[in-house]
Amino acid sequence: MSTVPQHRLLRTEIPGPRSQELQARKRAAVASGVGTTLPVYIERAGGGILVDVDGNQLIDFGSGIAVTSVGNSAPRVVEAVRDQVGDFTHTCFMVTPYEEYLAVCEALNELTPGTHAKRSALFNSGAEAVENAIKVARHATGRTAVIAFDHAYHGRTNLTMALTAKSMPYKHGFGPFAGEVYRAPMAYPYRWPTGPERCAEEAFAAFVEQVHAQVGETNVAAVIVEPIQGEGGFIVPAPGFLPKVADWCRQHGIVFIADEIQSGFCRTGDWFASEHEGIVPDLVTTAKGMAGGLPLAAVTGRAELMDAVHGGGLGGTYGGNPVACAAALAAIETMRAEDLNGAAKRIEAVMLPRLRDLAVTYDVIGDVRGRGAMLAVELVQGNGSTQPNPALTAQISAACHREGLVTLTAGTFGNVLRFLPPLVIGDDLLNEGLDIIEAALAAHA
Ligand SMILES: Cc1ncc(COP(=O)(O)O)c(C=O)c1O
């Protein structure tokens, strides 16, 4: 366990004076397009606590956006990184390779869903992994069109902006976007016009009809989907929708890509969220939780697809950096040794009932959803109205921040409070965080 004390402590207002000084330096030195959710500058972190430069100890319900699942500076990761930095920091795998890269690919091939022959390739960021998954799918099928969904988030590079659904802030003013990307309806139970029961079937019918009429199945290289949507609002597709889409892809020779960048590596209580409905994707993209905070991403998939690309067609200078690979191997070992799938289920068992109780008390909570340690509440106007309530969402989040709880928001309508605690967080911190959320609702709802 971390040496960082596992309790909340507020020594100053949030953000404190030292953080405010640093934020002034940020304004002068950093491009303003790079935003910060909570301008509290961090000095140390571990377990479920972030320690800031003013000595405040904040409860972490964000994990740096689902990255530090094994905890910040997790002991095995620290040791592996130290050892690797001492040995060598870079050769470029495409020039002179090293074993750590192979071991990460072997682990990915073993852990991702399906027992078929697989290959992996490593990259630096989630967006880069998504770009490469699309490259593989197009090359292997000889087709160009890609289908993404409403509320999707796949990154901020040109192709991934095209795949991402939300304009502000991700796409606004940054076009033109990559072509041959088409959007289909997501089976979003809470907002499905005829209700959640009919959602999977009707959304699938709309998807099939739209792709057939507007794109043509034989032109489609890939369908890409987040098994639980992340930035779009932690939307859990209606049960049955994703298996139907995956089957339909198989029938039409279309590559089914599961973007598990946010939902993967024990976050939802399974190694990958696809497993919950027994889905076996053709390609899986991973990043975030995989490497304990070091930048590493991957595409893993069917050997015949991955190997369809000519030598030199995939890669990059830093992709699969040895330090990041050492961190990933240590993080994966931690997930196994500490049963972090079990930990994610424990977090769900603590949080979900309390969030559901809050929804009974506060009618501004329109929906409570998610799995494992990927949970959210969707805030609405209340009094029977399901109109999104982004203003209240911002107020509640700001109130949590003032009390030393790091919360994140999400959603196409900016009205989702999402919770992504590190999987190693203790129950006492989880409950204290929930107390803070409850008090914020009592004060503002
Ligand atoms: C599902 C999903 N795909 C892709 C990305 C992009 O990853 P990165 O920010 O590492 O480029 C993200 C990041 O939030 C994500 O959640």
Side-chain angles (χ1 to χ4, degrees), residues 215-275:
V215 193
E217 296 82 350
T218 54
N219 298 312
V220 180
V223 169
I224 182 164
V225 68
E226 300 151 85
I228 295 183
Q229 290 185 309
E231 306 304 299
F234 281 27
I235 298 163
V236 184
F241 177 71
L242 292 180
K244 281 180 203 288
V245 172
D247 280 352
W248 178 90
C249 285
R250 204 162 302 120
Q251 282 163 31
H252 293 283
I254 295 166
V255 178
F256 180 89
I257 305 172
D259 182 347
E260 294 260 15
I261 285 165
Q262 191 153 164
S263 58
F265 283 102
C266 307
R267 178 53 54 187
T268 65
D270 286 305
W271 282 98
F272 296 95
S274 302
E275 290 169 50

Side-chain angles (χ1 to χ4, degrees), residues 10-11 27 48 66 78 101 135 195 202 209 221 250 257 287 339 342:
L10 296 185
R11 290 182 192 275
R27 279 191 289 273
V78 171
Y101 189 116
K135 278 170 64 173
E202 290 181 7
E209 191 186 305
R250 204 162 302 120
I257 305 172
D339 182 22

Side-chain angles (χ1 to χ4, degrees), residues 32-389:
S32 50
V34 183
T36 40
T37 301
L38 171 55
V40 155
Y41 285 73
I42 300 304
E43 212 166 59
R44 245 164 15 112
I49 292 287
L50 303 167
V51 184
D52 78 7
V53 288
D54 291 289
N56 298 300
Q57 296 172 192
L58 295 89
I59 301 175
D60 184 8
F61 273 15
S63 300
I65 321 187
V67 171
T68 51
S69 298
V70 295
N72 251 297
S73 301
R76 287 182 185 82
V77 173
V78 171
E79 198 188 334
V81 165
R82 281 205 176 116
D83 286 352
Q84 185 57 48
V85 168
D87 289 344
F88 66 96
T89 49
H90 175 82
T91 61
C92 186
F93 188 78
M94 300 183 307
V95 178
T96 48
Y98 39 88
E99 186 175 351
E100 291 78 4
Y101 189 116
L102 312 184
V104 172
C105 292
E106 286 161 357
L108 283 162
N109 297 347
E110 183 203 327
L111 291 170
T112 50
T115 53
H116 50 277
K118 295 176 204 156
R119 303 282 187 270
S120 291
L122 304 184
F123 305 97
N124 303 293
S125 69
E128 207 188 333
V130 171
E131 292 257 355
N132 278 281
I134 303 293
K135 278 170 64 173
V136 168
R138 284 179 169 157
H139 201 289
T141 58
R143 305 172 179 180
T144 54
V146 179
I147 314 293
F149 289 88
D150 286 338
H151 312 289
Y153 182 87
H154 298 291
R156 296 167 182 263
T157 57
N158 189 262
L159 172 58
T160 59
M161 276 192 294
L163 296 167
T164 289
K166 188 174 175 176
S167 174
M168 198 63 168
Y170 308 125
K171 302 168 74 164
H172 176 75
F174 297 133
F177 303 112
E180 285 302 295
V181 172
Y182 301 87
R183 197 164 304 288
M186 168 47 65
Y188 183 171
Y190 179 62
R191 295 199 175 274
W192 195 255
T194 55
E197 292 76 26
R198 311 193 58 174
C199 178
E201 202 180 308
E202 290 181 7
F204 177 66
F207 162 83
V208 168
E209 191 186 305
Q210 216 164 296
V211 175
H212 177 73
Q214 297 179 21
V215 193
E217 296 82 350
T218 54
N219 298 312
V220 180
V223 169
I224 182 164
V225 68
E226 300 151 85
I228 295 183
Q229 290 185 309
E231 306 304 299
F234 281 27
I235 298 163
V236 184
F241 177 71
L242 292 180
K244 281 180 203 288
V245 172
D247 280 352
W248 178 90
C249 285
R250 204 162 302 120
Q251 282 163 31
H252 293 283
I254 295 166
V255 178
F256 180 89
I257 305 172
D259 182 347
E260 294 260 15
I261 285 165
Q262 191 153 164
S263 58
F265 283 102
C266 307
R267 178 53 54 187
T268 65
D270 286 305
W271 282 98
F272 296 95
S274 302
E275 290 169 50
H276 187 75
E277 289 195 88
I279 294 159
V280 179
D282 299 309
L283 300 179
V284 178
T285 54
T286 50
K288 290 191 182 278
M290 167 161 54
L294 275 86
L296 187 68
V299 182
T300 301
R302 293 187 185 281
E304 65 275 19
L305 299 175
M306 295 294 289
D307 283 343
V309 178
H310 50 273
L314 304 176
T317 305
Y318 297 111
N321 167 273
V323 183
C325 285
L329 295 171
I332 292 168
E333 193 190 325
T334 305
M335 291 174 209
R336 290 190 211 265
E338 298 183 11
D339 182 22
L340 293 192
N341 280 320
K345 292 190 175 107
R346 166 187 59 86
I347 290 170
E348 177 182 319
V350 172
M351 294 191 74
L352 208 50
R354 282 200 62 185
L355 294 172
R356 290 200 172 122
D357 283 351
L358 288 176
V360 173
T361 311
Y362 297 99
D363 69 352
V364 289
I365 299 183
D367 196 23
V368 177
R369 57 183 179 245
R371 243 192 333 263
M374 188 171 182
L375 301 172
V377 294
E378 175 160 358
L379 298 178
V380 295
Q381 299 295 336
N383 275 329
S385 163
T386 59
Q387 280 294 313
N389 199 336

